[in-house]
Amino acid sequence: MLEIWGRTNSINVQKVMWTVGEIGLAHVRHDAGGAYGVVDTEDYAALNPNRLVPTIRDGDVVLWESHVIVRYLAAKYDDGGLWPTDPAVRANADRWMDWTASTLNAPMRTVFWGLIRTPVEQRDDAAIKAGVIALGRAFILLDAALEGRDHVAGERLTMGDIPVGCATYRYFGLDIKRPDLPNVETWYAGLAERPAFREHVMLPLT
């Protein structure tokens, strides 16, 4: 059976769990990281030398890095679904996964950690303000790309929606000023109706 290591409030673990939920894969998840520890053990380091979450074991296959795991699960278990068969559509989904990593993650980490996981007296307000501006610019770009589309890679949900969707949940949950994003809001409303998204992503921000 598929094994997953990671805590539920980790955005990277949420990507994997949402994927598993969409596909309907039987699995067992082990709490790891943060207050749960585990990642500091030698047994865990043998699976993931980075000592981070998530990590999966699927038979003889052990993988870490959340986007790699999402791609693997989609390709193996949902070919034609989350894993598009059309190379052009698949490349578009890949592009948005990579865009999340290259463009969205850094300012999201700054703002999320600054507002949610840092005491008020220790916050770097200038860095948070700059992060909010960078996030606004990124989401304006996403909004334009979603014009006339139901999902980031076209008509249906693909692996490309997974990382962006997880980040968008956090973005809309933060007490910050956001630009007008009608297309993102429509797309996000559709995600929020999906049972797997509600179960694995729409959790309290901690």
Side-chain angles (χ1 to χ4, degrees), residues 26-186:
H27 66 281
V28 58
R29 184 185 60 80
H30 308 289
D31 283 323
Y36 298 103
V38 177
V39 297
D40 294 328
T41 66
E42 291 306 312
D43 285 344
Y44 189 81
L47 298 173
N48 184 344
N50 297 294
R51 298 177 184 266
L52 299 171
V53 294
T55 299
I56 70 162
R57 179 162 56 200
D58 185 27
D60 294 332
V61 176
V62 175
L63 291 172
W64 33 269
E65 292 296 333
S66 60
H67 292 190
V68 170
I69 295 170
V70 170
R71 289 182 175 106
Y72 167 80
L73 295 175
K76 182 174 181 179
Y77 295 106
D78 202 26
D79 190 8
L82 292 179
W83 181 263
T85 53
D86 184 324
V89 178
R90 187 165 64 246
N92 199 6
D94 262 329
R95 172 170 57 185
W96 286 105
M97 296 180 78
D98 288 354
W99 177 81
T100 303
S102 67
T103 302
L104 207 54
N105 279 359
M108 178 61 71
R109 185 181 301 110
T110 297
V111 177
F112 180 82
W113 275 81
L115 295 179
I116 302 299
R117 295 181 177 173
T118 303
V120 174
E121 66 276 7
Q122 297 177 20
R123 291 176 182 171
D124 185 337
D125 292 333
I128 293 171
K129 181 178 179 180
V132 169
I133 293 171
L135 283 174
R137 291 172 179 164
F139 275 94
I140 287 171
L141 185 154
L142 175 63
D143 194 75
L146 283 168
E147 180 69 36
R149 290 187 172 193
D150 294 328
H151 295 89
V152 298
E155 296 180 357
R156 62 167 299 157
L157 186 82
T158 68
M159 61 186 183
D161 294 279
I162 301 291
V164 194
C166 290
T168 302
Y169 171 71
R170 290 193 169 193
Y171 185 57
F172 283 164
L174 294 170
D175 184 17
I176 58 175
K177 183 177 180 180
R178 287 178 290 272
D180 187 30
L181 302 166
N183 298 317
V184 171
E185 289 176 359
T186 298

